Amino acid sequence: MEGGTLETHIAASYASATLTTARVGEGLDTVPSEILEVGCSTGFNCIALARQFPSAEVHGIEPDGEAVAVAQSMAKAANVKNVYFRQGIGENLPFEAGTLSINMDLLGVIGTQVLGILRTRTLA
């Protein structure tokens, strides 16, 4: 890999995702209990969100099965237990009816990816 190693690329991606998700979460007056990212790729943003909001369930949806497998491996390696990755597309979310509230408030847009708060609870 030109310009660095795979490890330095992964570290830089985690750092970037952490900064991005911190920016997206600024100013929230509620703590999300569930977060959905459509088009999560290999899961860097989801893992950062799961770390930022440890009481939330973070769901990542990605059409590429290989990317989903990588995301699951990275979450396991990072010991992040509140993040879940599934293969699917935003137009046909792979959840059973009634399992998630899809009346979501827009949390933020990262590139072409949409992050949404699915359910929130008020801060104490």
Side-chain angles (χ1 to χ4, degrees):
M1 180 175 225
E2 188 175 330
T5 65
L6 180 59
E7 290 78 18
T8 59
H9 173 74
I10 290 171
S13 295
Y14 272 129
S16 175
T18 299
L19 290 172
T20 300
T21 58
R23 179 182 50 80
V24 168
E26 285 177 3
L28 290 178
D29 58 356
T30 59
V31 175
S33 59
E34 290 185 278
I35 301 170
L36 170 67
E37 181 182 14
V38 177
C40 68
S41 185
T42 55
F44 287 105
N45 290 332
C46 286
I47 291 169
L49 284 163
R51 287 176 170 161
Q52 182 177 350
F53 300 107
S55 64
E57 286 187 8
V58 179
H59 300 273
I61 306 301
E62 170 59 40
D64 183 343
E66 285 185 44
V68 170
V70 169
Q72 290 168 334
S73 293
M74 289 197 330
K76 184 177 180 180
N79 199 32
V80 177
K81 300 188 186 304
N82 61 323
V83 63
Y84 308 93
F85 297 101
R86 296 181 71 177
Q87 189 170 0
I89 59 173
E91 293 82 5
N92 187 21
L93 293 174
F95 297 104
E96 291 184 35
T99 59
L100 294 175
S101 169
I102 305 301
N103 295 323
M104 60 184 162
D105 301 318
L106 188 61
L107 174 61
V109 176
I110 299 176
T112 59
Q113 301 161 344
V114 176
L115 299 170
I117 297 175
L118 299 176
R119 287 194 290 260
T120 61
R121 55 182 173 267
T122 305
L123 291 172

